[in-house]
Amino acid sequence: MDNVIVDMLAGNQRHAAEFQSRFDDVQNAQHPDAVTVCCADSRVLQDELWANTDPGSIFTCANIGNRVIQRTPDGDVVSGDVLYPIEHTGTETAVVVGHTGCGAVTAAYRDLTGDTGAEPPGIAHSLTPIRTRLAAGVDLLPADLSESAAINRLVEYNVDQQVQFLLESDRVDDAVSVVGAVYDFQDVYPGSRGEAHVINVDGETDPSTLREQAPEIASRITRLWSY
């Protein structure tokens, strides 16, 4: 037997022992407080980054590039996994979480700047809506940026685009609050590794304005880039 699976199952046994009673109130229904859309990168610890240990509290979604967009023959729509808790469980907070050094943003950036390789069809399909929406952001970048600096600015730009898509969707009620954040484990932002830095609240991206509007989280509001 693969030792990785053996170790994972041993971890699951410890999890089951700890969580035995924590499912009592949510065995038959869920009403999560928030839906989060994170990149599927293995370094982004989706529940742990909020210190969440409560089943039923956060509806977690993960995909390449923290996309809220699903491509269909009739056009782009809000992805079903993101929309489900908004439509069916009364969730009124959506959080889009990008991360520093995102591989999906890197691939899209390199494709847009002519430095790319072919990806398998499934990956290429997932990257298309990111690349399409990053094109305008690439054009806005200062010419003297290093690749890593450009990518981290585009991480913010991508989060902004995903937030805006949710805000503009007819399927997302106006009562839903949409927040954009960047998870930093590469020392790009001030503060500690693992902090989530708020960069967008309901489409507002100016840090000074956000701090005035939400003083209770003022210390967590940080942006690398205003455009």
Side-chain angles (χ1 to χ4, degrees), residues 30-65:
Q30 60 171 329
H31 300 284
D33 297 319
V35 52
T36 60
V37 190
C38 301
C39 186
D41 191 294
S42 62
R43 296 164 293 183
V44 180
L45 306 175
Q46 294 179 70
D47 279 292
E48 181 63 26
L49 77 89
W50 313 114
N52 175 49
T53 58
D54 295 326
S57 176
I58 299 177
F59 194 103
T60 56
C61 308
N63 57 54
I64 293 174

Side-chain angles (χ1 to χ4, degrees), residues 10 12 17 29 35-36 48 61 63 66 82 91 96 108 129 146 149-150 154 169:
N12 173 253
V35 52
T36 60
E48 181 63 26
C61 308
N63 57 54
N66 43 271
V82 180
T91 303
V96 179
S146 66
L154 290 173
S169 171

Side-chain angles (χ1 to χ4, degrees), residues 103-124:
V105 171
T106 300
Y109 171 75
R110 289 177 178 172
D111 190 30
L112 289 164
T113 55
D115 180 19
T116 187
E119 293 283 2
I123 297 176

